[in-house]
Amino acid sequence: MKKRLFSIGMLAMAAVAAVAQTQYDAARFSGSELNGTARFVGMGGAMSALGADISVIGTNPAGIGLFRSHDLSLSFGFNKNVTNSNLGGTEVKDERTRASFDQLGFVYSTKIGNKTDLRYFNIGFNYHKMANFNRQFSSRGNLNGSSLSWQMQDMMLGTGAYQNQASYDALLDAENPYTSSAYYGTPFLGSMGVRTGLVDDVTGEDGSFGMMGWNGASGDYYSREEGGINAYDINLSFNVQDRFYFGATLGVYDVNYSRYSSYYETVLDDKGNDNGSFQLNNWFTTDGAGLDLKLGVIVRPMEYSPFRIGFAVHTPIWYSLNDRYTATLGTDILAFPEKYTENLSDYYAPDASYLLEYQLATPWKFNVSMGTTFSNVLAVDAEYEFANYAKARYKDAGGYDLAAANGAVDKYLKNVHTFRIGMEAKFTPQFSFRAGYNYVTSPIADNSARYVPNLSTNKADYIWFDETRTDPEYHNLKARNTLTLGLGYRGKFMYADVAYKYDFYKSDFYMFDDYRFSNDGNSIVSRNSAAAVNHDRHQLLLTLGVKF
């Protein structure tokens, strides 16, 4: 390969930790979206103290104790996701619309008596889509010299094992550097870069060995995500004296997430001329199941007042998950006499993808709510929910802590505060208008990075966490706002509700991490800029139900 003059970055770094989970995966599976019945969504999900809607089974289980008749409901609708990316003045818009089956549930209400302390004993079951991952996203723009190839080079230097020509050539010529024990600790993405010419061997003025990436001209990214988290809630609840309500919900979760992404980059030679391009394609899926328990209580402190106070606690969701992923990298560098292609599926057996089994425990959640009604015409509810995302924990399939992944979670996830308010006003005894608002703070720290979790000025602490993953992109999410509106009809036996939800939030999107030591060698700086992204989601939801 072509030799180039350079300033050798012989970094004394710690060995790569053999993990693949990131703080971004933990945040994805720790969160939930506002979804459920159209009445619940129309009120912004603020019904934890008011109760008497099947969707509160997942926020405050005691709310099911306010039912006084059997209830069966079904909800479905449409979701439209729109993203607008701006990278250095280059704007890209992408959108995707999908139909969605959102909720199916029932409550079986048993009246115990009018004079007894225990008035009602209720059993409930509800399916709802807790998270909907269906979206499409694109971003492109000028890189101004930054390149994914520089990240690959830094990853290789970070192993500490590739500091001479012999080790570099051995990796270049290896039959299988991805599953062979001889290459444990070598990042897959860096290895792909070496074997396709993106991480080039170079000779310094003093004859010493080093590695270099290429200067990036422009980058073009595309991804398509699909799947979701389905929740199946089973509830037992009690009504005591029509003033105290208690409930417990066992949650069962089914995870199905997939993402295809493609990154295309053009590169320049040493004189700033066009020097070809490369393309990295990734296929990534996560599937698995989880369990949790939710406990709740609602109290009407004043006997003749409808004012209610609610409190609920959610245990972590204990997930058992499987990641499967593979990638291809093709290069067409004009400085080389031939094109190179690395296809990871050529090295895997038996299913042509890399399989990783692990466990994830999401953080505890706590919910406090207050609600009341006025003359049976207006109902209002306000609530606050807290979760410390930094308490999410990874373990391997054997139950042992994944210290490096948990270190990234500790450093780059933070407390999440959720505020919900909602109201329902009756035009007539049959027709109602609803409105709500949610505000959810960001789970991601401002300086979060995927491949360099430790930005210490001490080079010995410069640790790479991802070893096997080859998808370098990530979003640093900002706070989320949600506005909702709804209409409802209540007949003698049947009811129908419709709701509109508008989610909007921002993120900083990075196609890759290109971190370098500063000229004085005492700090680490990023060479690549983030794309500013606006995310908008529109949902139209319809619920049909019967009570008997």
Side-chain angles (χ1 to χ4, degrees), residues 184-199:
Y184 285 175
T186 300
F188 284 13
L189 188 61
S191 296
M192 295 178 76
V194 169
R195 292 164 68 87
T196 57
L198 293 184
V199 179

Side-chain angles (χ1 to χ4, degrees), residues 8-84:
I8 302 177
M10 304 298 287
L11 308 182
M13 306 176 189
V16 175
V19 301
Q21 298 84 5
T22 71
Q23 66 271 34
Y24 299 98
D25 300 308
R28 178 187 303 115
F29 298 123
S30 294
S32 62
E33 299 174 1
L34 173 59
N35 202 12
T37 67
R39 183 184 180 212
F40 180 79
V41 172
M43 293 183 65
M47 296 192 69
S48 293
L50 293 174
D53 186 276
I54 187 66
S55 288
V56 300
I57 198 171
T59 55
N60 188 338
I64 304 301
L66 279 86
F67 278 91
R68 298 184 179 182
S69 62
H70 310 315
D71 193 282
L72 175 66
S73 61
L74 168 71
S75 305
F76 52 92
F78 293 90
N79 289 275
K80 181 178 181 179
N81 286 280
V82 182
T83 59
N84 286 275

Side-chain angles (χ1 to χ4, degrees), residues 252-272:
V252 180
Y253 300 88
D254 170 36
V255 176
N256 177 23
Y257 173 74
S258 65
R259 180 179 67 247
Y260 164 73
S261 63
S262 178
Y263 175 69
Y264 177 82
E265 182 178 313
T266 59
V267 297
L268 305 174
D269 64 16
D270 297 335
K271 298 179 180 179

Side-chain angles (χ1 to χ4, degrees), residues 8 60 145 159 201 204 208 250 257 293 312 325 362 412 429 442 453 497 524:
I8 302 177
N60 188 338
T159 68
D201 58 332
S208 57
L250 174 66
Y257 173 74
L293 181 66
Y325 42 96
T362 67
Y412 289 118
S442 170
D497 300 299
I524 299 170

Side-chain angles (χ1 to χ4, degrees), residues 171-191:
L171 177 63
L172 190 65
D173 299 329
E175 181 178 349
N176 183 350
Y178 305 103
T179 60
S180 170
S181 60
Y183 291 92
Y184 285 175
T186 300
F188 284 13
L189 188 61
S191 296

